[in-house]
Amino acid sequence: YISVHPLLERLRLESDVTMQRLAESAIRRKLLARGDVLFHASELATHMYFMAKGSLEYVCAESESTRIMHAGKGEEWVSEQALWLTEWFHVGLLTTLV
């Protein structure tokens, strides 16, 4: 599932060993049920998440706008900022729909 991200796909193509090490040490599966909260606004972002199947609803706390994300539609990852920034705080609420 993580190879949908361009950087991780490139890494997979360049080095199977590195991807294997990454998978063994830095990747965990998290199962969620309908209505579960993945993160809240103002919460420190500590992980990037990949969606294998289902749908998520993101509600921005500042604008109250809503966005629905679906697996398989090019929207398989969220919270990428956690990879690049030491302090990133979520600005919305992310919950599972299906």
Side-chain angles (χ1 to χ4, degrees), residues 10 13 19 21-22 27 29-31 33 44 47 49 54 56-57 60-61 69 75 79 83 87-88 91 94:
R10 176 68 182 205
L13 294 172
M19 275 304 279
R21 289 181 180 157
L22 181 66
I27 298 172
R29 182 178 211 146
K30 184 171 187 147
L31 301 174
L44 179 65
H47 298 83
Y49 300 97
L56 300 171
E57 178 181 50
C60 181
M69 296 171 281
E75 303 171 317
S79 191
L83 293 180
E87 277 196 16
W88 171 265
V91 294
L94 188 67

Side-chain angles (χ1 to χ4, degrees), residues 39-52:
F39 55 76
H40 295 271
S42 302
E43 184 179 333
L44 179 65
T46 56
H47 298 83
M48 179 178 180
Y49 300 97
F50 290 88
M51 182 174 31

Side-chain angles (χ1 to χ4, degrees), residues 2 12-13 15 18 25-26 45-46 48 58 60 72 79 85 95 97:
I2 66 171
R12 184 187 69 80
L13 294 172
S15 175
T18 301
S25 65
T46 56
M48 179 178 180
Y58 179 78
C60 181
S79 191
L85 304 170
T95 57
L97 294 176

